[in-house]
PDB file of all heavy atoms in Angstrom:
ATOM      1  N   SER A 300      17.838 -22.702   2.173  1.00  0.00           N
ATOM      2  CA  SER A 300      18.011 -21.444   1.445  1.00  0.00           C
ATOM      3  C   SER A 300      17.105 -21.392   0.222  1.00  0.00           C
ATOM      4  O   SER A 300      16.456 -20.370  -0.041  1.00  0.00           O
ATOM      5  CB  SER A 300      19.476 -21.298   1.024  1.00  0.00           C
ATOM      6  OG  SER A 300      19.672 -20.119   0.284  1.00  0.00           O
ATOM      7  N   GLN A 301      17.053 -22.493  -0.514  1.00  0.00           N
ATOM      8  CA  GLN A 301      16.198 -22.538  -1.698  1.00  0.00           C
ATOM      9  C   GLN A 301      14.735 -22.341  -1.325  1.00  0.00           C
ATOM     10  O   GLN A 301      14.009 -21.584  -1.978  1.00  0.00           O
ATOM     11  CB  GLN A 301      16.378 -23.871  -2.418  1.00  0.00           C
ATOM     12  CG  GLN A 301      15.570 -23.982  -3.706  1.00  0.00           C
ATOM     13  CD  GLN A 301      15.635 -25.370  -4.310  1.00  0.00           C
ATOM     14  OE1 GLN A 301      16.005 -26.339  -3.644  1.00  0.00           O
ATOM     15  NE2 GLN A 301      15.271 -25.479  -5.571  1.00  0.00           N
ATOM     16  N   GLN A 302      14.301 -22.992  -0.251  1.00  0.00           N
ATOM     17  CA  GLN A 302      12.913 -22.869   0.165  1.00  0.00           C
ATOM     18  C   GLN A 302      12.594 -21.462   0.675  1.00  0.00           C
ATOM     19  O   GLN A 302      11.481 -20.963   0.494  1.00  0.00           O
ATOM     20  CB  GLN A 302      12.602 -23.902   1.259  1.00  0.00           C
ATOM     21  CG  GLN A 302      12.603 -25.337   0.768  1.00  0.00           C
ATOM     22  CD  GLN A 302      11.630 -25.556  -0.375  1.00  0.00           C
ATOM     23  OE1 GLN A 302      10.465 -25.180  -0.312  1.00  0.00           O
ATOM     24  NE2 GLN A 302      12.121 -26.158  -1.457  1.00  0.00           N
ATOM     25  N   ALA A 303      13.585 -20.809   1.294  1.00  0.00           N
ATOM     26  CA  ALA A 303      13.378 -19.433   1.759  1.00  0.00           C
ATOM     27  C   ALA A 303      13.124 -18.508   0.576  1.00  0.00           C
ATOM     28  O   ALA A 303      12.229 -17.652   0.617  1.00  0.00           O
ATOM     29  CB  ALA A 303      14.589 -18.959   2.557  1.00  0.00           C
ATOM     30  N   TRP A 304      13.913 -18.667  -0.500  1.00  0.00           N
ATOM     31  CA  TRP A 304      13.702 -17.843  -1.694  1.00  0.00           C
ATOM     32  C   TRP A 304      12.360 -18.144  -2.346  1.00  0.00           C
ATOM     33  O   TRP A 304      11.635 -17.229  -2.738  1.00  0.00           O
ATOM     34  CB  TRP A 304      14.827 -18.100  -2.701  1.00  0.00           C
ATOM     35  CG  TRP A 304      16.105 -17.389  -2.416  1.00  0.00           C
ATOM     36  CD1 TRP A 304      17.303 -17.950  -2.080  1.00  0.00           C
ATOM     37  CD2 TRP A 304      16.336 -15.980  -2.438  1.00  0.00           C
ATOM     38  NE1 TRP A 304      18.253 -16.990  -1.896  1.00  0.00           N
ATOM     39  CE2 TRP A 304      17.689 -15.765  -2.119  1.00  0.00           C
ATOM     40  CE3 TRP A 304      15.529 -14.876  -2.703  1.00  0.00           C
ATOM     41  CZ2 TRP A 304      18.254 -14.494  -2.055  1.00  0.00           C
ATOM     42  CZ3 TRP A 304      16.085 -13.604  -2.643  1.00  0.00           C
ATOM     43  CH2 TRP A 304      17.424 -13.424  -2.318  1.00  0.00           C
ATOM     44  N   LEU A 305      12.025 -19.430  -2.460  1.00  0.00           N
ATOM     45  CA  LEU A 305      10.752 -19.799  -3.080  1.00  0.00           C
ATOM     46  C   LEU A 305       9.579 -19.275  -2.264  1.00  0.00           C
ATOM     47  O   LEU A 305       8.558 -18.843  -2.813  1.00  0.00           O
ATOM     48  CB  LEU A 305      10.662 -21.320  -3.240  1.00  0.00           C
ATOM     49  CG  LEU A 305      11.663 -21.948  -4.218  1.00  0.00           C
ATOM     50  CD1 LEU A 305      11.526 -23.462  -4.215  1.00  0.00           C
ATOM     51  CD2 LEU A 305      11.478 -21.394  -5.621  1.00  0.00           C
ATOM     52  N   GLY A 306       9.735 -19.296  -0.936  1.00  0.00           N
ATOM     53  CA  GLY A 306       8.686 -18.749  -0.077  1.00  0.00           C
ATOM     54  C   GLY A 306       8.524 -17.255  -0.252  1.00  0.00           C
ATOM     55  O   GLY A 306       7.406 -16.731  -0.247  1.00  0.00           O
ATOM     56  N   GLU A 307       9.649 -16.566  -0.445  1.00  0.00           N
ATOM     57  CA  GLU A 307       9.579 -15.116  -0.662  1.00  0.00           C
ATOM     58  C   GLU A 307       8.884 -14.798  -1.977  1.00  0.00           C
ATOM     59  O   GLU A 307       8.047 -13.887  -2.048  1.00  0.00           O
ATOM     60  CB  GLU A 307      10.986 -14.524  -0.658  1.00  0.00           C
ATOM     61  CG  GLU A 307      10.995 -13.026  -0.919  1.00  0.00           C
ATOM     62  CD  GLU A 307      12.378 -12.425  -0.803  1.00  0.00           C
ATOM     63  OE1 GLU A 307      13.161 -12.916   0.021  1.00  0.00           O
ATOM     64  OE2 GLU A 307      12.654 -11.453  -1.528  1.00  0.00           O
ATOM     65  N   VAL A 308       9.210 -15.538  -3.019  1.00  0.00           N
ATOM     66  CA  VAL A 308       8.578 -15.299  -4.316  1.00  0.00           C
ATOM     67  C   VAL A 308       7.080 -15.583  -4.243  1.00  0.00           C
ATOM     68  O   VAL A 308       6.258 -14.817  -4.765  1.00  0.00           O
ATOM     69  CB  VAL A 308       9.239 -16.165  -5.403  1.00  0.00           C
ATOM     70  CG1 VAL A 308       8.476 -16.056  -6.716  1.00  0.00           C
ATOM     71  CG2 VAL A 308      10.696 -15.743  -5.610  1.00  0.00           C
ATOM     72  N   SER A 309       6.705 -16.686  -3.577  1.00  0.00           N
ATOM     73  CA  SER A 309       5.290 -17.056  -3.492  1.00  0.00           C
ATOM     74  C   SER A 309       4.486 -16.087  -2.636  1.00  0.00           C
ATOM     75  O   SER A 309       3.258 -16.026  -2.745  1.00  0.00           O
ATOM     76  CB  SER A 309       5.144 -18.471  -2.927  1.00  0.00           C
ATOM     77  OG  SER A 309       5.604 -18.547  -1.592  1.00  0.00           O
ATOM     78  N   ALA A 310       5.184 -15.302  -1.775  1.00  0.00           N
ATOM     79  CA  ALA A 310       4.492 -14.299  -0.960  1.00  0.00           C
ATOM     80  C   ALA A 310       4.053 -13.094  -1.780  1.00  0.00           C
ATOM     81  O   ALA A 310       3.342 -12.224  -1.285  1.00  0.00           O
ATOM     82  CB  ALA A 310       5.388 -13.837   0.186  1.00  0.00           C
ATOM     83  N   ARG A 311       4.486 -13.029  -3.031  1.00  0.00           N
ATOM     84  CA  ARG A 311       4.096 -11.979  -3.981  1.00  0.00           C
ATOM     85  C   ARG A 311       4.406 -10.572  -3.460  1.00  0.00           C
ATOM     86  O   ARG A 311       3.518  -9.730  -3.334  1.00  0.00           O
ATOM     87  CB  ARG A 311       2.621 -12.107  -4.335  1.00  0.00           C
ATOM     88  CG  ARG A 311       2.245 -13.445  -4.959  1.00  0.00           C
ATOM     89  CD  ARG A 311       0.757 -13.549  -5.216  1.00  0.00           C
ATOM     90  NE  ARG A 311       0.329 -12.602  -6.245  1.00  0.00           N
ATOM     91  CZ  ARG A 311      -0.951 -12.388  -6.568  1.00  0.00           C
ATOM     92  NH1 ARG A 311      -1.900 -13.040  -5.929  1.00  0.00           N
ATOM     93  NH2 ARG A 311      -1.271 -11.524  -7.512  1.00  0.00           N
ATOM     94  N   PRO A 312       5.675 -10.282  -3.158  1.00  0.00           N
ATOM     95  CA  PRO A 312       6.019  -8.925  -2.725  1.00  0.00           C
ATOM     96  C   PRO A 312       5.865  -7.933  -3.867  1.00  0.00           C
ATOM     97  O   PRO A 312       6.076  -8.268  -5.035  1.00  0.00           O
ATOM     98  CB  PRO A 312       7.478  -9.055  -2.284  1.00  0.00           C
ATOM     99  CG  PRO A 312       8.002 -10.192  -3.103  1.00  0.00           C
ATOM    100  CD  PRO A 312       6.854 -11.146  -3.244  1.00  0.00           C
ATOM    101  N   ALA A 313       5.491  -6.717  -3.524  1.00  0.00           N
ATOM    102  CA  ALA A 313       5.322  -5.647  -4.505  1.00  0.00           C
ATOM    103  C   ALA A 313       5.698  -4.326  -3.849  1.00  0.00           C
ATOM    104  O   ALA A 313       5.869  -4.255  -2.630  1.00  0.00           O
ATOM    105  CB  ALA A 313       3.885  -5.606  -5.029  1.00  0.00           C
ATOM    106  N   VAL A 314       5.844  -3.297  -4.659  1.00  0.00           N
ATOM    107  CA  VAL A 314       6.261  -1.983  -4.161  1.00  0.00           C
ATOM    108  C   VAL A 314       5.355  -0.919  -4.766  1.00  0.00           C
ATOM    109  O   VAL A 314       5.037  -0.969  -5.962  1.00  0.00           O
ATOM    110  CB  VAL A 314       7.731  -1.688  -4.532  1.00  0.00           C
ATOM    111  CG1 VAL A 314       8.170  -0.352  -3.936  1.00  0.00           C
ATOM    112  CG2 VAL A 314       8.647  -2.809  -4.052  1.00  0.00           C
TER     113      VAL A 314
END
Side-chain angles (χ1 to χ4, degrees):
S300 178
Q301 183 187 17
Q302 291 303 310
W304 280 114
L305 294 176
E307 178 175 327
V308 173
S309 65
R311 301 177 67 187
V314 183

